[in-house]
Amino acid sequence: MTKRATMRIFLPHASDHYRTIWIWIIFIVGSGLIAGFSQHWSWAVNFPRDWIVPLRFWISDFMEWLIKDLDFGLFTFKEMTRSIAWLLEWPLAVASGILVTGFSFSSDPTTEAVIPPLPWVALIGVAIILGHWMRNWKLALLVGACMTYLAVFGRWESAMVTLSAILIAVPLGIIGGLLIGILAYRSTTFGRSIEPVLDLMQTTPVFAYLVPVLFLFGFGPVAAMISTMIYATPPMIRVTMLALSRVPTESIEAGLMLGCTRRQLLWKVMVPSASPSLMIGINQVIMLSLNMVIIASMIGAGGLGFDVLSSLKRLAIGSGLEAGIAITLLAVALDRLSQSFATRKPKKQGEGKLRFHRHLIMATALLLGTWIISTYLPFIRTYPESWTITTSGFWEDLVKWINVNYFDQIEAFKNFLLLNILIPVKRFMLATPWIVVVAFVMLLGYRLGGWKLALLTASLALFIAFTGGWKKGMVTVYLCGISVVFASMIGIPIGIWAAHSERGHRIVQACIDTLQTLPSFVYLIPVVMLFRVGDFAAMLAIIAYAIAPAIRYTDHGIRQVPTQLIEAAEIFGCTRWQILRKVKLPVALPEIMLGINQTIMMALSMLVITALVGTRDLGQEVYIALTKADTGRGLVAGISVAAIAIICDRLIKAWVSKRRAKLGLDEN
């Protein structure tokens, strides 16, 4: 941090604020003028239907042609996709047989398995041994406790159905992402061309993946697994590209000096050097795959996702919460194991191999021993139903008690926010002329990033308009915007508190780690039972789901403020409040804005799921398309949501980049 950067903290550029104010003045005045002359400029207020491009119908017709008419001679396109599904069904069946059903070697589904699945006791024991081998007894006990919960609360079989799909989807996603990432690293042209595709894949709502997959691969666990792989692979591609580009040149030069070929240099030098970073991508694939299990249950995945979804349909808050916690604990176990594997320190020569063999022998002995004993003691093989416990009654009684005793207060709070904030903002967004909104995002793009960003933002906004999604797009912006504002108002103060208190930091980190591993559907159940369906319930679910980045980035940003700036402010005689307001927050603001950017991304992803509770936005379009298997409708609505996400992402990142440059945070 330079002296010039220090002065920039205390002397902000007024001209920057004036330019931004002029953009807002143009937006407001333009909206007023067009609304005032709406009789003459009706086309500028409401997007004309005659201008709408029937892209959704073109896509649907193209998909119909692929399935019904495309013939390669030896086989049709439909036969090719069904063959892929058939090939993937084999490893999934093997994993399911080991963990869930066993192997019967008979076509009759009622036939008892000749080889039973692995006993629950054995799997918990193996998880404990694996945790100890990777780190220590603390990890072993944590993983063991997570797995034990699945059995004690009656979620074992559902969890094993989910785990069997994860065990196949994750390795395939990792391999596919690694190979595509390597190709993108080696070919600059391919890498540049794939970037927008990855952006689109990571911002398109998860529901949108299900529609074409359902159409191409049919209904069932394999289709669900394919959608999971598609959703979880992009982070692995990005991490691979980044990790390989950061391999030290000294390592590459040493490999060349030793006479390595191009292939040997890649697999024996670069990939091993990049392995710590690659493990981050593997961890992301695991977490995103678990995040997808509930949504994938809509097309036949089963498992814990189906449990949560069925609980939501029945408004069974206790059952849904237990199933959601089961997914969370399974995610925690897999997350901790993968992170421990990534950060394992190399042992002394021979020590690591000896330790591995010792744990392998213990795991093998446990598997064989429990498998033999389970033939005589059935409770070793299958957790007895009479031993299960549940807290569902407690949670349902708690919600009933709240509704009975605080119904009037809840309704008053809900109606106040609806009548004074939500409905007025919604009406304003719907009444704003579309051409003014397009001009506004274009001016912001030009102001922050030049003509390239201006053309990108305007093109994405026009895509929403020309594909017929403008009205629902504005509802999406309104609901997402309101939710993000409230999430920021709650999350930023919590982040500030956590940054100034070590105890608060630990408490907050534990809470947001839990929030980020809870499945998105879990948030819907309590808000629907307390506030019923509608925009208000959707807003609360979005806030709860998306608040974590606002807290985390605020905490991190304030902690990263250089100490010399704080010391300089103290020398000037600033109070703690002045230091926070005039030094810490201005310096941390770029980091805080990145957190708000992530909050927007999570809010948009959750907004599609809140279509289940009665919202009338683009998310509802995606959900209706899934129920009707309307590929074109689902993809166009999903891409429109992605367009909103990309506009917000590019504008915020451009602002952050300019802000950091003005503060001198990027200077050496």
Side-chain angles (χ1 to χ4, degrees), residues 263-479:
R263 180 179 296 179
Q264 290 172 330
L265 186 66
L266 174 66
W267 295 107
K268 294 184 179 296
V269 177
M270 297 183 70
V271 171
S273 298
S275 58
S277 299
L278 292 176
M279 285 304 301
I280 297 173
I282 293 172
N283 180 260
Q284 287 295 305
V285 173
I286 293 171
M287 301 308 290
L288 288 175
S289 297
L290 282 164
N291 189 43
M292 188 70 175
V293 294
I294 299 178
I295 298 167
S297 65
M298 289 185 167
I299 58 173
L304 291 170
F306 178 79
D307 291 352
V308 175
L309 197 60
S310 62
S311 299
L312 176 62
K313 291 177 180 177
R314 295 182 286 110
L315 290 181
I317 182 173
S319 177
L321 187 62
E322 287 178 359
I325 292 173
I327 296 175
T328 300
L329 293 179
L330 187 61
V332 167
L334 295 176
D335 175 60
R336 296 296 187 273
L337 288 173
S338 61
Q339 285 189 12
S340 299
F341 183 78
T343 57
R344 285 180 74 232
K345 296 180 180 178
K347 305 294 179 182
K348 295 178 182 178
Q349 189 173 7
E351 183 183 345
K353 189 176 291 186
L354 178 64
R355 192 174 179 217
F356 170 76
H357 287 315
R358 184 169 68 246
H359 286 85
L360 180 62
I361 292 169
M362 290 171 61
T364 305
L366 179 64
L367 287 172
L368 291 175
T370 52
W371 186 74
I372 293 170
I373 295 172
S374 66
T375 57
Y376 303 100
L377 300 174
F379 69 87
I380 297 293
R381 180 188 307 168
T382 306
Y383 190 85
E385 190 174 346
S386 59
W387 292 6
T388 59
I389 61 176
T390 181
T391 59
S392 59
F394 167 78
W395 296 110
E396 289 168 9
D397 291 341
L398 177 63
V399 171
K400 288 179 183 177
W401 181 81
I402 293 173
N403 275 322
V404 169
N405 292 279
Y406 296 98
F407 178 80
D408 293 338
Q409 292 87 338
I410 290 173
E411 282 297 300
F413 176 67
K414 172 184 173 181
N415 291 332
F416 173 79
L417 289 180
L418 276 172
L419 295 175
N420 294 283
I421 298 178
L422 270 71
I423 292 176
V425 173
K426 184 177 183 179
R427 287 176 177 172
F428 171 77
M429 293 301 300
L430 290 173
T432 303
W434 68 271
I435 196 167
V436 173
V437 177
V438 174
F440 177 70
V441 297
M442 187 174 181
L443 281 172
L444 274 181
Y446 177 72
R447 169 73 182 83
L448 296 173
W451 280 113
K452 286 185 178 180
L453 184 57
L455 290 174
L456 175 65
T457 53
S459 300
L460 292 172
L462 287 172
F463 174 86
I464 300 172
F466 276 98
T467 53
W470 187 260
K471 289 292 184 184
K472 293 199 172 184
M474 288 300 97
V475 177
T476 302
V477 172
Y478 129 77
L479 195 50

Side-chain angles (χ1 to χ4, degrees), residues 213-253:
V213 169
L214 178 65
F215 201 79
L216 294 174
F217 298 97
F219 182 88
V222 174
M225 187 176 69
I226 292 171
S227 65
T228 301
M229 285 189 294
I230 295 172
Y231 175 66
T233 299
M236 188 67 199
I237 300 174
R238 287 192 186 277
V239 169
T240 301
M241 294 166 61
L242 183 63
L244 292 177
S245 66
R246 290 184 175 179
V247 173
T249 53
E250 296 84 359
S251 300
I252 298 173
E253 291 170 357

Side-chain angles (χ1 to χ4, degrees), residues 176-196 198 234 236-245 262 266:
L178 180 65
L179 295 178
I180 295 172
I182 290 171
L183 181 60
Y185 168 74
R186 283 186 164 178
S187 171
T188 306
T189 304
F190 179 72
R192 288 176 180 172
S193 63
I194 204 175
E195 280 289 342
L198 294 176
M236 188 67 199
I237 300 174
R238 287 192 186 277
V239 169
T240 301
M241 294 166 61
L242 183 63
L244 292 177
S245 66
R262 195 180 181 192
L266 174 66

Side-chain angles (χ1 to χ4, degrees), residues 603-632:
L604 285 169
S605 67
M606 184 66 182
L607 200 59
V608 179
I609 295 169
T610 57
L612 295 171
V613 297
T615 56
R616 298 290 185 268
D617 55 2
L618 290 171
Q620 185 199 44
E621 285 289 292
V622 178
Y623 181 68
I624 292 173
L626 176 61
T627 58
K628 295 183 176 181
D630 189 340
T631 311

